[in-house]
Amino acid sequence: MNVDAVVFAKLSLQRALLGFVSGKVRAVVFSLEESSLDIRFYVDGDISENDVELSSCVEAEVIADYSPEYEVAAKCLRIDYPALIEDCGVWVFQRQEPPVE
């Protein structure tokens, strides 16, 4: 994976997240391939239309940073606290949560 591409994706996504992270979002993680960026929003509780809309807004902001042939896709996944989020992608957001006893 190209380090510059990861840094660019991370900066793009962190900028796009400003104002679009609800209290239900536990983490935002991405994976980068040659010409695609997969963004995952891990949500605590039922995934609402608002959650999907917010992730879509972030997706649109990130798409604007890339050329048209680059594929950017965001999705919401439900993993309720205290379940661990096991994702080996690049983490750009993680909610503060109490430790699991």
Side-chain angles (χ1 to χ4, degrees), residues 47-101:
I47 297 171
S48 68
E49 286 183 34
N50 187 57
D51 297 324
V52 174
E53 179 65 27
L54 290 174
S55 70
S56 180
C57 289
V58 170
E59 178 184 70
E61 290 288 324
V62 173
I63 286 170
D65 290 336
Y66 285 90
S67 60
E69 57 274 349
Y70 211 87
E71 184 180 327
V72 177
K75 61 184 170 186
C76 293
L77 303 164
R78 180 179 179 172
I79 299 184
D80 294 340
Y81 176 80
L84 293 178
I85 299 170
E86 296 184 30
D87 192 313
C88 294
V90 180
W91 290 57
V92 292
F93 173 81
Q94 183 176 12
R95 176 176 82 177
Q96 191 281 327
E97 297 176 332
V100 179
E101 294 180 23

